[in-house]
Amino acid sequence: MSSSRYKVRVTKDFLVFSSGHFITFEGNQCERVHGHNYRTAVEVDGDLDGNHYVVDFIALRDMTRTICDELDHRMLLPAGSPYIRLEDDGPNIVARYRDRYWSFPRDECVVLPIANTTAELLAKYIADRLLVAMRARGWADPRAVRVEVEECFGQSAEVELTL
Ligand SMILES: Nc1nc2c(c(=O)[nH]1)N=C([C@H](O)[C@H](O)COP(=O)(O)OP(=O)(O)OP(=O)(O)O)CN2
């Protein structure tokens, strides 16, 4: 007897965010500030519910759009970096790396609970937020949530939350 496994996938031309960032790497390197037009794709694996669908992908689309819109046209800053210090400076947030520092108006930044603004950890952040949003709607946990974040054409990272 064969068994069936289902997933829904959502990727739309508005599930994007144009944001600034910089990453640290190799423990002693920090990029210059730059930006990307990030694109996201979301997949949810699970059993069919009483509607005979995994989840309503319109609702999933809208949940994802809410998160993308929060990140759009913002400077993405990591709150959990061991290398980059974030400081309040009145209406601004100052980011410091060794003898370099950047000052951004607070409402033009998003401080994220991640260690580095890599595509991988942005995908993880979005996946975690989506799971919270699904649970807030009373949805049963799916089997898995996957989020892909593409930094630019041909460069992306994906996370899978297995539940
Ligand atoms: N696995 C990952 N590798 C890299 C990431 C990442 O998030 N995950 N990020 C970077 C840099 O932040 C940077 O964003 C790379 O972007 P890009 O502009 O493409 O880098 P380059 O300037 O070197 O590429 P060009 O196409 O020549 O502009 C690096 N690695």
Side-chain angles (χ1 to χ4, degrees):
M1 178 69 175
S2 67
S3 65
S4 304
R5 293 172 68 93
Y6 298 91
K7 75 176 180 184
V8 295
R9 176 177 171 83
V10 174
T11 182
K12 304 290 280 188
D13 56 5
F14 51 72
L15 297 184
V16 299
F17 49 102
S18 299
S19 308
H21 87 129
F22 53 88
I23 69 168
T24 57
F25 56 101
E26 305 303 336
N28 61 358
Q29 303 292 311
C30 180
E31 295 183 304
R32 289 197 302 275
V33 172
H34 61 283
H36 299 286
N37 296 315
Y38 291 94
R39 294 176 56 207
T40 62
V42 179
E43 291 184 345
V44 177
D45 294 358
D47 297 326
L48 302 188
D49 67 10
N51 303 303
H52 303 285
Y53 53 45
V54 176
V55 295
D56 175 3
F57 47 45
I58 300 303
L60 180 64
R61 177 201 72 186
D62 293 347
M63 288 174 185
T64 307
R65 185 172 198 170
T66 296
I67 300 164
C68 289
D69 287 353
E70 290 173 8
L71 303 176
D72 188 42
H73 283 75
R74 294 290 188 285
M75 185 66 199
L76 307 182
L77 297 172
S81 169
Y83 304 108
I84 296 167
R85 284 199 326 276
L86 302 181
E87 299 166 358
D88 286 332
D89 181 21
N92 280 31
I93 292 179
V94 173
R96 295 183 185 277
Y97 175 81
R98 296 189 171 178
D99 58 350
R100 294 155 65 187
Y101 71 95
W102 304 262
S103 182
F104 304 100
R106 188 178 305 278
D107 63 358
E108 296 179 26
C109 306
V110 177
V111 177
L112 298 170
I114 57 178
N116 212 1
T117 53
T118 58
E120 287 89 338
L121 292 187
L122 292 176
K124 177 69 164 59
Y125 170 75
I126 293 168
D128 288 342
R129 285 284 306 275
L130 284 173
L131 191 55
V132 168
M134 290 177 193
R135 288 172 172 169
R137 286 186 178 226
W139 294 1
D141 275 0
R143 189 175 301 112
V145 177
R146 275 183 299 282
V147 174
E148 178 186 26
V149 169
E150 181 189 72
E151 266 197 355
C152 50
F153 183 76
Q155 269 167 233
S156 68
E158 179 177 287
V159 67
E160 176 174 294
L161 302 185
T162 305
L163 298 147

